[in-house]
């Protein structure tokens, strides 16, 4: 099956710094990828849709200047949390639709961000 | 001030018993539904899906039931095993959209 990877799996940073999270589709191309955020004991909340070759689409309430998304290639999307604060600490998960069936979403293993 | 987060509903079952996890979805125009399993610290793992033109679909040890009249989805796990312990989420695609909207989730604990 299709595999999506994320890097890093865990990151701890100081408040005010920026953190970049990578999402890669390993054996298929993805013109669209999705970024989710999950707080402890809560569900996944869609943050934004990453589009290769065009601007990302952000969900209501998500600051696009804080969460920068770049879909650099057909297999890579990056999420940069700028000027991170403790309230940005969360589990960030990306997904990509299957190449042959866009209904099927393949999820990455997630990135645990802790901002001190 | 103190923030109050959501608390996941929980379900505890004895090993070997059947489990039923329920989900209410919101968008009557959604036409594709998926159940995911999420273990601690990991991304969601696909379990089974169903389209709105069906009301039942079976997989290996799992069955999904869809009741569009009341916008209700359920996941049945037969002969539940300790490895089934996880949080289970239903997701809907919001009327043909590529992205998914997740339900609140249910924590399943299997008692050996």
């Amino acid at each position: 099956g299709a595999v999506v990877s994320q890097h890093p799996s865990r990151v701890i940073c100081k408040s005010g710094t920026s953190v970049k999270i990578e999402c890669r589709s390993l054996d298929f191309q993805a013109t669209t990828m999705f970024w989710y955020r999950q707080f402890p004991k809560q569900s996944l909340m869609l943050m934004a849709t990453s589009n290769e070759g065009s601007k990302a689409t952000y969900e209501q309430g998500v600051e696009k200047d804080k969460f920068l998304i770049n879909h650099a290639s057909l297999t890579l999307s990056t999420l940069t949390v700028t000027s991170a604060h403790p309230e940005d600490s969360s589990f960030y998960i990306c997904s990509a639709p299957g190449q042959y069936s866009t209904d099927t979403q393949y999820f990455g293993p997630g990135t645990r961000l802790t901002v001190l | 001030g103190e923030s109050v987060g959501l608390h996941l509903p929980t379900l505890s079952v004895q090993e070997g018993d059947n489990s039923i996890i329920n989900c209410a979805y919101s968008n009557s125009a959604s036409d594709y539904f998926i159940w995911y399993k999420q273990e601690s610290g990991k991304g969601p793992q696909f379990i089974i899906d169903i389209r709105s033109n069906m009301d039942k679909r079976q997989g290996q040890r799992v069955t999904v039931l869809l009741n569009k009249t009341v916008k209700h989805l359920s996941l049945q796990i037969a002969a539940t095993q300790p490895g089934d312990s996880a949080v289970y989420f239903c997701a809907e695609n919001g009327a043909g959209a590529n992205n998914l909207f997740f339900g609140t989730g249910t924590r399943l604990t299997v008692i050996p």
Side-chain angles (χ1 to χ4, degrees):
Chain A
V3 176
V4 174
S5 70
Q6 281 184 242
H7 178 79
S9 58
R10 289 179 179 271
V11 56
I12 301 172
C13 68
K14 292 182 179 179
S15 185
T17 60
S18 295
V19 175
K20 181 188 285 188
I21 303 170
E22 294 184 348
C23 176
R24 292 181 186 273
S25 56
L26 295 186
D27 49 2
F28 66 105
Q29 294 181 338
T31 56
T32 302
M33 290 182 175
F34 302 100
W35 286 97
Y36 295 83
R37 179 168 53 184
Q38 185 178 32
F39 292 109
K41 297 185 179 180
Q42 294 190 26
S43 189
L44 283 75
M45 295 297 295
L46 180 67
M47 297 175 66
T49 302
S50 173
N51 303 299
E52 192 271 336
S54 64
K55 291 182 180 180
T57 306
Y58 291 82
E59 294 300 302
Q60 191 172 11
V62 178
E63 300 174 57
K64 62 181 181 181
D65 295 330
K66 180 169 183 63
F67 299 99
L68 301 179
I69 290 173
N70 181 28
H71 203 127
S73 73
L74 288 172
T75 59
L76 173 64
S77 173
T78 60
L79 168 68
T80 301
V81 183
T82 63
S83 186
H85 291 283
E87 57 265 31
D88 297 324
S89 299
S90 189
F91 194 51
Y92 292 86
I93 307 170
C94 69
S95 73
Q99 198 165 11
Y100 303 108
S101 173
T102 56
D103 284 336
T104 305
Q105 292 280 344
Y106 297 96
F107 283 85
T111 297
R112 171 75 60 194
L113 170 63
T114 302
V115 185
L116 303 177
Chain B
E2 182 178 355
S3 63
V4 179
L6 295 173
H7 293 282
L8 292 173
T10 58
L11 174 66
S12 295
V13 298
Q14 286 291 139
E15 181 178 357
D17 287 353
N18 297 333
S19 303
I20 300 177
I21 301 171
N22 297 303
C23 176
Y25 64 92
S26 56
N27 190 341
S28 57
S30 293
D31 56 11
Y32 181 63
F33 306 88
I34 313 100
W35 279 101
Y36 286 96
K37 172 185 179 183
Q38 187 180 29
E39 297 174 308
S40 181
K42 297 183 179 180
Q45 175 187 353
F46 174 91
I47 301 174
I48 192 168
D49 58 1
I50 189 168
R51 296 198 178 276
S52 59
N53 61 352
M54 303 173 69
D55 54 22
K56 180 179 179 179
R57 189 156 187 242
Q58 288 184 290
Q60 187 177 15
R61 277 204 310 121
V62 293
T63 301
V64 55
L65 299 177
L66 174 63
N67 185 330
K68 295 182 288 294
T69 303
V70 295
K71 292 190 285 186
H72 182 268
L73 198 64
S74 70
L75 175 70
Q76 299 177 2
I77 304 174
T80 316
Q81 302 168 0
D84 295 328
S85 294
V87 177
Y88 289 81
F89 293 97
C90 67
E92 59 184 300
N93 75 336
N98 259 4
N99 53 284
L100 297 174
F101 296 96
F102 283 77
T104 54
T106 297
R107 179 175 299 281
L108 174 66
T109 302
V110 181
I111 304 166

